[in-house]
Amino acid sequence: MGWITVFTIPAVRHATLGGLDPWLVAAADIPLFVVGSAIAATGSRAAALITTSWTGLVTLGLAVYATVTALAGWGAVLMIAATAASVLASLLVWRGRIPTEWLLVGPFRSREADADASPARNVLATALQIVVFWGVCLGIIPLVIAAAEGRWRLELGVPPEVPILGGCPVRRRERAAVRG
């Protein structure tokens, strides 16, 4: 359905591909992603690896293109989602399950306090873990998302009811749009 809308609706084509030729993109994407995904669904590990690798490369390329040109931002967002889904599907093919234990590693993993350490050391380790976790989740990730939104032109208009009901601030540009 996605390629049909890209070819038939100019606004979708511009939002997802920017100035890229849809025929060239489709010529590589359809065999490597669509057909490869169908073969991977049969349990083919090679197809899963090829499809996931291709999706990751396309995502990287489209993200670079969107960042450099400020075009095709929605295409980059959709490809990021497609890559995440492709990685999960590939893990299912290769391992038979999604290894959730990989999600919480490093400073994000939960573990018992070191029984041989002093209470002060354990409290310090816990405080450091909290600072790293919340610094990444509430600091770094939102900054990266905000930078991508601005550069990739992903801002959506906010209906006038949202700031009133949600108590969120409205930017000057949005205030002008709401008024007139």
Side-chain angles (χ1 to χ4, degrees):
M1 188 64 160
W3 276 111
I4 293 170
T5 58
V6 166
F7 282 109
T8 58
I9 303 172
V12 171
R13 181 173 40 256
H14 181 72
T16 58
L17 294 179
L20 297 174
D21 182 354
W23 290 103
L24 290 175
V25 176
D29 193 48
I30 291 174
L32 288 168
F33 182 71
V34 177
V35 175
S37 294
I39 295 169
T42 67
S44 169
R45 289 180 171 189
L49 179 63
I50 290 168
T51 301
T52 301
S53 300
W54 172 252
T55 307
L57 285 172
V58 169
T59 300
L60 181 63
L62 199 52
V64 169
Y65 175 76
T67 303
V68 169
T69 66
L71 299 171
W74 286 110
V77 169
L78 292 171
M79 286 307 301
I80 290 168
T83 299
S86 189
V87 167
L88 293 175
S90 189
L91 285 168
L92 285 172
V93 170
W94 276 86
R95 299 180 60 93
R97 68 184 189 86
I98 297 172
T100 55
E101 66 274 8
W102 291 357
L103 296 175
L104 300 174
V105 296
F108 300 118
R109 76 180 184 277
S110 178
R111 59 191 174 275
E112 290 185 25
D114 185 0
D116 296 330
S118 70
R121 185 172 184 329
N122 284 331
V123 167
L124 181 62
T126 300
L128 180 62
Q129 183 179 19
I130 290 169
V131 167
V132 169
F133 179 83
W134 290 112
V136 169
C137 292
L138 296 177
I140 294 171
I141 292 173
L143 286 173
V144 169
I145 291 171
E149 283 178 336
R151 184 65 189 157
W152 295 352
R153 299 180 182 171
L154 299 177
E155 292 182 5
L156 296 175
V158 177
E161 300 82 18
V162 172
I164 295 166
L165 295 174
C168 67
V170 178
R171 296 181 190 143
R172 264 188 232 148
R173 237 182 319 156
E174 292 168 351
R175 256 190 233 121
V178 169
R179 284 188 202 133

